[in-house]
Amino acid sequence: MPLEALRPSPLVEQAAQRLRDQITGGDWPVGTRLPGETTLAKTLGVGRSTVREALRALAGAGLVQPRQGAGVFVIATEPTEDWPTRLRRAAVGDVYEVRAMVEVQAAQLAAVRRTDDDVAALRAALEGRRTAAGSGTAAFVDADIALHAAVVAAAHNPVLTDLFTAFVPALRQGLIDLVELLDLRGRDPQPGDARHAALVDAVADGDGTTASRILRAEFDETLGQLAER
């Protein structure tokens, strides 16, 4: 597959895609040293700065690696997906299992580390969840997630917080679909209110065992519902 000059457009993206095609198509196997910037720029009909940015994009995708004084080498023929992309592609049940592990541990830590401000935030989030009971499914799911986020935040572990934040986009639509598919709000517009109130009280009281048990029961129930879909 010979390289051809590019058409005007986002040139960096075009250059990166053309080079990516060479790699994924097998024209440049793993271990191959890519032509120099000047050669690539001339072949593609772009400037060296465009080639440099395109190579940087390929390096970020895990396809190539620059080696000081030696050039740029192919190290993989398939791009490495970043974490958000992998989460978006994952089944909601798989994401939910990992979320459960994160939140159960976070609840235990929150019960030990929570501050007065954290407790106030938890109670406000619980009221927000109750208020959202009069709104649509999406708003209720968002309010539910906000309460869980408050529990994780009370653990005061930035890695746990980042993990939970990364899960939210992958979970949100799946939870909306689950609530609507199973008509979970058909008889009760705010399902699980008593359980969530008990969770907030357990964290506020410093009872990590109860807080984690409540969350584990909630997650087991939801995972069971997901398995039946």
Side-chain angles (χ1 to χ4, degrees), residues 100-116:
M101 298 175 193
V102 169
E103 285 201 53
V104 168
Q105 178 62 29
Q108 292 179 316
L109 293 176
V112 175
R113 300 175 178 176
R114 82 277 184 266
T115 65
D116 290 343

Side-chain angles (χ1 to χ4, degrees), residues 77-137:
T77 56
E78 293 294 334
T80 301
E81 290 183 329
D82 59 19
W83 180 238
T85 300
R86 292 186 67 183
L87 283 176
R88 285 194 298 271
R89 291 166 57 88
V92 66
D94 293 337
V95 176
Y96 210 93
E97 286 179 351
V98 179
R99 177 200 173 187
M101 298 175 193
V102 169
E103 285 201 53
V104 168
Q105 178 62 29
Q108 292 179 316
L109 293 176
V112 175
R113 300 175 178 176
R114 82 277 184 266
T115 65
D116 290 343
D117 287 344
D118 292 327
V119 173
L122 284 167
R123 299 206 184 282
L126 179 61
E127 287 306 311
R129 188 178 187 275
R130 288 169 171 167
T131 299
S135 303
T137 299

